[in-house]
């Protein structure tokens, strides 16, 4: 399971790179707070289905978001 988790995170980072390229090409801001909040809320709802605490989901999403911003920049 751990290997699958890292593979999925790697895929997410690859998507973030592509999104960053698109944002730069189209003059979009890298950080979009309203969009990020929407994603977090969706993830909290999804996490609840698996018995995950809101705190855990928020912390993981913050880490993933920070990495996404780093690779998008």
């Amino acid at each position: 399971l751990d290997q699958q988790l890292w593979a999925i995170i790697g895929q997410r980072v690859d998507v973030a790179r592509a999104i960053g390229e698109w944002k730069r090409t189209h003059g979009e801001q890298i950080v979009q707070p309203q969009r990020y909040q929407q994603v977090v809320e969706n993830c909290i709802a999804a996490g609840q289905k698996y018995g995950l605490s809101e705190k855990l989901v928020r912390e993981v999403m913050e880490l993933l978001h920070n990495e996404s911003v780093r690779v998008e920049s």
Side-chain angles (χ1 to χ4, degrees):
L1 287 176
D2 291 337
Q3 293 301 316
Q4 290 173 341
L5 178 61
W6 294 123
I8 290 169
I9 291 171
Q11 291 172 2
R12 191 180 196 283
V13 169
D14 290 342
V15 170
R17 278 192 192 97
I19 289 170
E21 200 172 299
W22 186 92
K23 286 179 179 179
R24 284 189 299 281
T25 301
H26 292 87
E28 294 288 328
Q29 292 182 331
I30 297 297
V31 177
Q32 299 176 342
Q34 289 179 329
R35 174 68 180 135
Y36 173 65
Q37 190 59 36
Q38 179 185 28
V39 169
V40 170
E41 294 301 321
N42 289 341
C43 288
I44 289 169
Q48 287 175 341
K49 293 177 184 176
Y50 296 101
L52 303 176
S53 71
E54 180 177 331
K55 181 180 185 290
L56 173 64
V57 173
R58 284 188 186 278
E59 289 175 357
V60 169
M61 288 308 298
E62 183 176 345
L63 291 169
L64 292 172
H65 177 70
N66 290 342
E67 182 64 8
S68 293
V69 169
R70 185 187 73 75
V71 301
E72 285 181 24
S73 298

